[in-house]
Amino acid sequence: MAVNFTVFDAFLPIDGVRLGVAQAGVRYANRDDLVVMEIADGAHVAGVFTRNAFCAAPVTLCQQHLQQAQPRYVLINTGNANAGTGKSGFANAEASCRMLAAATGVEPQHVLPFSTGVIGEPLNMAAFERGIPLALANLSEDNWARAARGIMTTDTLPKGYSSECDIDGHRVRITGISKGAGMIMPNMATMLGYIATDAYIAESILQDWCRQLADCSFNRITIDGDTSTNDSCLLIATGRSGVRIEDVNSDAASALFTELKATFQRLAQAIVRDGEGATKFVTIAVEQAATQQEALDVAYTVAHSPLVKTAMFASDANWGRILAAVGRSGVQNFDLERVQIFIDDVQIVEDGGRCERYQEALGAAVFAKTEFTVTIQLGRGDVREALWTCDFSHEYVTINANYRS
Amino acid sequence: MAVNFTVFDAFLPIDGVRLGVAQAGVRYANRDDLVVMEIADGAHVAGVFTRNAFCAAPVTLCQQHLQQAQPRYVLINTGNANAGTGKSGFANAEASCRMLAAATGVEPQHVLPFSTGVIGEPLNMAAFERGIPLALANLSEDNWARAARGIMTTDTLPKGYSSECDIDGHRVRITGISKGAGMIMPNMATMLGYIATDAYIAESILQDWCRQLADCSFNRITIDGDTSTNDSCLLIATGRSGVRIEDVNSDAASALFTELKATFQRLAQAIVRDGEGATKFVTIAVEQAATQQEALDVAYTVAHSPLVKTAMFASDANWGRILAAVGRSGVQNFDLERVQIFIDDVQIVEDGGRCERYQEALGAAVFAKTEFTVTIQLGRGDVREALWTCDFSHEYVTINANYRS
């Protein structure tokens, strides 16, 4: 039951990226579960990875390979996260890279491995032996839509987006896919995002951009506060379009960054819209904070409050719960008489207390919508942060309590 | 559907404390909702209060009165938290103290006010005018059981406990009551605890003890991670038993502290057992931590993970979710290969990976129980912390989504 979710079906191929998809049988039969991405020589690639201390074997290996060599292949499997699998899990991740390297004539460190699915079970290596040749056999620039489905786990819908724009007289394309629907399922974890552009982006700029873009997109969404062991995001710049970003302060850089940001945010928001059991898509905006950290602390505390989330599910504009969450967010020397809270344009809290003009009917009308914004003004500075979340429904409990049973 | 909860009905009166209870009609008719506690002259009283920045008016006033004068009366209402009510809320809290003071011949600062219930609505002062004389009319040492019911909000069962022991040849009694069942209901917030003993405890010791006792009891429970605007806990020592605690290092002090701790923990655990929608009572123990802070960070991250809590509800020993929660708890320089995780005596994670001896059937047998302990050993030091929590059920969503509707 995704919220205002439209499946994107107008993928633009990116010159320099081909995708192959296979039914490898990693965990389930008869579904695409192995994706190979071939990246042309000369492309630049940057990645951002989970901060979970228990990061999965492929995450560790992927980061090593990114440092050692130019990436030529991406290898993604669903069905098994290869996390919590110790040394044999790491060896399996290495073996999977060796298999793809051998089949394509590159070195293993040119392969970036990604896994998502069940934690703690050994990777089914026979599936890789079976699936890699199948995926390589259908490598195509036009396989983005199938790849978007091929990386799904508990997602109900595939997530992707493409855009193009003119920069410096050249047509530039961006295409991306993502997956993730909670932290997630019992063990079916992980947010994954792969975004490619045919622009050239200098390596020194690319890694900074990837971090900045993830921070304003994938790092600003939360379904349930749980962080997966496998979260990863990759930004690929093939350089085939003729546009060259070598000066981060150029107009071209600014234009491309804006375009990339829109794609990153769309892919991130799609994960929330398809959040486990989600019935509402809610923006939590914190304004007038003294620091970015306190803005985020307040926003996450509100977004993670089960009481706020169940009130959203119930379309109950329960401002007391929002106020209580703001109050426990750990902001030091908090002057609550400066706090204003709005839902869309309806003010519910004025100077720390119930707004006199507020009427239940006004709040109920906003909370009844499938999308709205909660704005919390702290009156402490001029920093603003926003993040996107969803409500907490019976369906969430059902999904997360029934898996594996 | 409380978990292994036995209603306590053998309250021991505490010499120096009398309780009066009334149907004041604060929010609902025909239920006890006003409790007055009369404390004998010469008693010492200490309190611990919510750290929520948006603490309610009575919490602020109560702390002021505690500093200004010796408490002689406690005034508790349910049905309205008098929180988020601004200056008029503070004036109402003051007015309620004045009413009780006038009726009993003390000064207003001798009265400690407590409120629990809906946030953001003006206190019904007519109910206090009506209820205070009624409560004073039935003041009695034997009213603890009725008072335990009189402070309930969304609790399904009243919470209380009494014990007695011999210290220095004197019989010493302890009796306490508590309430709280989530953070809680939309607006029906608050954990409250009132514990009285007939021992004499020097004031310098009492405040320290109250903080320490709350820290190992009420501050070690969590239902949903939400902290109320009204949480409060009071420790009253009337000094009528003949036992005098003036040296914190004496055997008598040690014996009484141990006895008080058992009562505090029972009252705190009763809140979890009666947690909103709870079907399991779970102890989260973190051992071998380097610091108390990291032990608590890990324990709370696991206890608050909706994925862990829904797995508990489903009786699914989903160790991957526990591992992932440990990994995102923010511990610095975490060596995951030192982590061991047990559920009761079944080891599920060994040296950071799935324990080879572990079998699903063993884990399932533990998770099927209504009470069990998750033990996480970090291999970083020798600090241990434990806290108590419950699972996350459909009933939780129902309770918190349906209130006010």
Side-chain angles (χ1 to χ4, degrees), chain A residues 116-167:
Chain A
T116 176
V118 177
I119 291 179
E121 296 192 4
L123 206 54
N124 172 358
M125 297 311 293
F128 282 83
E129 285 179 37
R130 199 163 42 235
I132 286 175
L134 294 172
L136 290 175
N138 65 36
L139 279 176
S140 159
E141 284 192 341
D142 297 317
N143 247 344
W144 285 97
R146 192 175 162 199
R149 290 192 182 272
I151 62 172
M152 287 166 59
T153 51
T154 62
D155 307 64
T156 69
L157 294 166
K159 297 161 184 72
Y161 192 65
S162 287
S163 72
E164 53 185 344
C165 61
D166 289 313
I167 295 175

Side-chain angles (χ1 to χ4, degrees), chain A residues 52-54 120 183-184 186-187 225-227 305 307 310 314 316 318 321 323-324 327-328 336 360 394 398 400-401 404, chain B residues 52-54 120 183-184 186-187 225-227 305 307 314 316 318-319 321 323-324 327-328 336 360 394 398 400-401 404:
Chain A
N52 194 306
F54 285 103
M183 163 259 176
I184 298 170
N187 298 328
D226 276 297
T227 311
S305 163
L307 291 174
T310 47
D316 178 8
N318 199 316
R321 290 184 179 185
L323 199 73
R328 73 176 167 87
L336 48 112
E360 290 274 334
H394 280 293
T398 299
N400 286 295
R404 288 190 12 164
Chain B
N52 195 306
F54 286 102
M183 164 262 178
I184 300 176
N187 297 328
D226 275 299
T227 311
S305 163
L307 292 175
D316 177 7
N318 199 316
W319 62 273
R321 290 184 178 183
L323 198 73
R328 72 176 167 86
L336 47 114
E360 289 275 333
H394 280 294
T398 300
N400 286 295
R404 291 192 8 165

Side-chain angles (χ1 to χ4, degrees), chain B residues 16-304:
Chain B
V17 176
R18 296 197 304 164
L19 305 103
V21 185
Q23 295 188 0
V26 173
R27 183 173 167 87
Y28 300 107
N30 305 317
R31 67 150 287 182
D32 288 342
D33 56 3
L34 197 82
V35 173
V36 170
M37 205 179 282
E38 180 201 68
I39 303 169
D41 198 12
H44 291 160
V45 181
V48 171
F49 301 89
T50 182
R51 289 171 184 158
N52 195 306
F54 286 102
C55 71
V59 174
T60 304
L61 186 61
C62 186
Q63 289 175 285
Q64 289 178 8
H65 285 184
L66 255 178
Q67 301 227 320
Q68 291 167 353
Q70 196 208 345
R72 295 299 309 284
Y73 288 92
V74 171
L75 174 62
I76 314 162
N77 75 274
T78 66
N80 187 317
N82 194 11
T85 45
K87 290 185 174 62
S88 66
F90 195 81
N92 279 338
E94 286 181 313
S96 73
C97 292
R98 277 200 305 274
M99 281 185 206
L100 180 54
T104 57
V106 300
E107 296 300 313
Q109 61 266 35
H110 293 286
V111 179
L112 302 181
F114 299 84
S115 296
T116 177
V118 177
I119 292 179
E121 295 191 7
L123 206 54
N124 172 357
M125 298 311 294
F128 283 83
E129 286 178 36
R130 197 163 46 236
I132 286 173
L134 294 172
L136 289 174
N138 66 37
L139 279 175
S140 158
E141 284 191 343
D142 297 316
N143 246 344
W144 284 96
R146 191 175 164 198
R149 289 190 182 273
I151 63 173
M152 286 165 61
T153 51
T154 62
D155 308 64
T156 68
L157 295 165
K159 298 161 183 71
Y161 192 66
S162 287
S163 72
E164 55 185 344
C165 61
D166 288 313
I167 295 176
D168 285 349
H170 296 277
R171 200 83 183 140
V172 177
R173 285 179 169 178
I174 298 166
T175 288
I177 57 176
S178 66
K179 67 133 301 214
M183 164 262 178
I184 300 176
M185 274 293 203
N187 297 328
M188 300 296 280
T190 305
M191 185 294 295
L192 296 177
Y194 303 91
I195 298 90
T197 175
D198 51 11
Y200 168 92
I201 306 175
E203 273 193 297
S204 59
I205 296 174
L206 193 72
Q207 183 59 46
D208 271 358
W209 277 19
C210 189
R211 164 62 60 193
Q212 286 179 48
L213 289 162
D215 275 346
C216 68
S217 59
F218 299 114
N219 286 335
R220 290 294 177 276
I221 60 174
T222 177
I223 310 290
D224 52 20
D226 275 299
T227 311
S228 143
T229 51
N230 295 53
D231 290 340
S232 307
C233 164
L234 221 55
L235 175 57
I236 301 161
T238 66
R240 298 290 181 94
S241 70
V243 168
R244 293 182 71 83
I245 306 297
E246 290 168 307
D247 173 6
V248 76
N249 297 313
S250 64
D251 288 348
S254 171
L256 183 60
F257 187 86
T258 301
E259 199 72 15
L260 282 166
K261 184 174 168 181
T263 299
F264 270 73
Q265 291 189 337
R266 250 177 199 265
L267 293 174
Q269 290 176 8
I271 293 171
V272 177
R273 292 181 188 284
D274 194 23
E276 288 173 349
T279 74
K280 309 269 164 113
F281 177 86
V282 183
T283 303
I284 309 287
V286 175
E287 301 178 343
Q288 303 173 359
T291 64
Q292 184 187 44
Q293 191 56 52
E294 76 178 28
L296 290 174
D297 286 346
V298 171
Y300 277 111
T301 306
V302 172
H304 290 160

Side-chain angles (χ1 to χ4, degrees), chain A residues 10 31-32 38 53 60 103 120 154 162 209 219 222 248 261 271 285 297 321 336 338:
Chain A
R31 68 149 288 181
D32 288 343
E38 180 200 67
T60 305
T154 62
S162 287
W209 276 19
N219 286 335
T222 177
V248 76
K261 184 174 169 181
I271 293 172
D297 286 347
R321 290 184 179 185
L336 48 112
R338 293 181 172 206

